[in-house]
Amino acid sequence: MSESKTPHARPNEPRFPDGPKPDPAGSHFERRIRSFQPRRSRVTTSQADALQRLWPQWGLDIDGQRVLDLAALFPGLDRIVLEIGFGMGEATAQMAAEDPHTGILAVDVHTPGQGNLLGLAERGGMTNVRVANGDAIILLREMLPENSLDGLRVYFPDPWPKARHHKRRLLQPEFLDLVAGPLKPGALVHCATDWEEYAEQMLDVLTAHPAYENTQPDGGWAPRPEFRPLTRFEGQGLDKGHVVHDLLFRRR
Ligand SMILES: C[S@@+](CC[C@H](N)C(=O)[O-])C[C@H]1O[C@@H](n2cnc3c(N)ncnc32)[C@H](O)[C@@H]1O
């Protein structure tokens, strides 16, 4: 049985009075190339319900206006990782359940996925996930303290396959500059992609950046770690015969 859908909202009209705000930091109006395309998305009734009920407790808008107190955001947890682009959040929820002592700050712009992840966390009794709404670049640039993160996860970022769109890819030297500040020395940077040529780009930019070192003695891709579950986009890539590459680097 398919779930009923809420109607589309008008642009800039908050759909959930107590939920995530559309474009909270005004990122769409910044003159900057973004790694995502603003899209209107349908939200199911159960996702809408989760957004309305759980956002005040577990959600945060990336407004670019304050530096976050991660200890207050994740009481009792002293290991915090940032996941950028969790999609529908199934893999995030599974990792949160399997590692309850690690707090996951999960960021995406995709409203249905935010509702989905909140619902999964509630149903699974996970209290170690916070869902951030907005552009991860603004979160990194304005809101995360130096030396505050124990890890970064970027699983199957949008591949932007056309050459003229490569500049939209998240994994660029400037992104690695930005993320180097909040990452603690020794923090693990874990990326995965099913786009061969993006995997090569990731390996090149991470290897060339002085703030990171490859955990693999041969300087190449890492075997897929057992702790990373199959993600939704990964499954779609595998169905098309794509090969998946994991990259595991450390902040120096
Ligand atoms: C291809 S999907 C992968 C989702 C998930 N990790 C998976 O493997 O199923 C990439 C996600 O990254 C999100 N995204 C891209 N750029 C982002 C940014 N700058 N800030 C927040 N989310 C972003 C997109 O909205 C999208 O949901």
Side-chain angles (χ1 to χ4, degrees):
M1 196 177 68
S2 71
E3 284 190 271
S4 60
K5 309 273 186 178
T6 54
H8 283 313
R10 289 207 201 98
N12 299 326
E13 180 186 316
R15 287 178 289 183
F16 311 100
D18 298 322
K21 294 188 176 49
D23 194 17
S27 145
H28 298 177
F29 301 101
E30 281 193 4
R31 293 176 68 83
R32 177 166 57 81
I33 294 163
R34 288 185 303 273
S35 56
F36 59 91
Q37 200 133 44
R39 49 187 164 146
R40 294 169 124 203
S41 318
R42 286 187 176 273
V43 176
T44 66
T45 46
S46 68
Q47 291 161 358
D49 170 64
L51 288 167
Q52 269 293 106
R53 285 187 306 103
L54 303 172
W55 192 259
Q57 190 186 353
W58 287 342
L60 76 98
D61 279 309
I62 298 175
D63 57 14
Q65 301 296 311
R66 63 216 150 108
V67 175
L68 296 175
D69 177 350
L70 293 184
L73 197 59
F74 293 96
L77 299 176
D78 51 13
R79 256 184 59 78
I80 313 295
V81 301
L82 173 68
E83 179 178 355
I84 299 179
F86 59 81
M88 295 306 283
E90 299 96 335
T92 311
Q94 195 175 326
M95 291 180 86
E98 284 168 7
D99 186 8
H101 301 297
T102 294
I104 304 181
L105 179 56
V107 49
D108 208 302
V109 291
H110 187 48
T111 318
Q114 294 164 357
N116 203 55
L117 178 53
L118 288 172
L120 289 170
E122 182 183 49
R123 288 193 292 282
M126 283 88 93
T127 55
N128 55 333
V129 183
R130 300 293 175 272
V131 180
N133 163 47
D135 189 339
I137 298 299
I138 295 179
L139 179 75
L140 289 163
R141 202 182 65 195
E142 316 285 353
M143 298 178 71
L144 286 175
E146 297 272 305
N147 254 341
S148 58
L149 296 175
D150 297 275
L152 170 72
R153 297 171 181 166
V154 188
Y155 299 151
F156 304 89
D158 296 287
W160 295 108
K162 292 182 184 157
R164 67 189 159 89
H165 288 152
H166 284 182
K167 54 185 182 280
R168 290 182 172 273
R169 288 178 170 172
L170 200 58
L171 269 287
Q172 311 262 2
E174 301 72 26
F175 170 77
L176 294 177
D177 292 343
L178 201 53
V179 90
L183 286 178
K184 294 179 187 170
L188 201 60
V189 176
H190 185 188
C191 306
T193 181
D194 62 321
W195 283 81
E196 185 75 37
E197 175 263 334
Y198 195 8
E200 277 161 19
Q201 174 179 335
M202 289 179 182
L203 188 60
D204 286 349
V205 292
L206 276 159
T207 303
H209 200 293
Y212 306 91
E213 64 184 340
N214 199 334
T215 61
Q216 303 305 297
D218 68 356
W221 289 294
R224 175 216 179 97
E226 274 180 21
F227 61 78
R228 184 177 68 70
L230 189 83
T231 81
R232 183 178 283 233
F233 272 80
E234 178 176 20
Q236 292 170 1
L238 290 172
D239 287 346
K240 291 180 199 147
H242 294 180
V243 175
V244 170
H245 291 293
D246 282 75
L247 297 96
L248 280 176
F249 278 67
R250 273 193 200 289
R251 172 79 172 95
R252 287 185 199 271

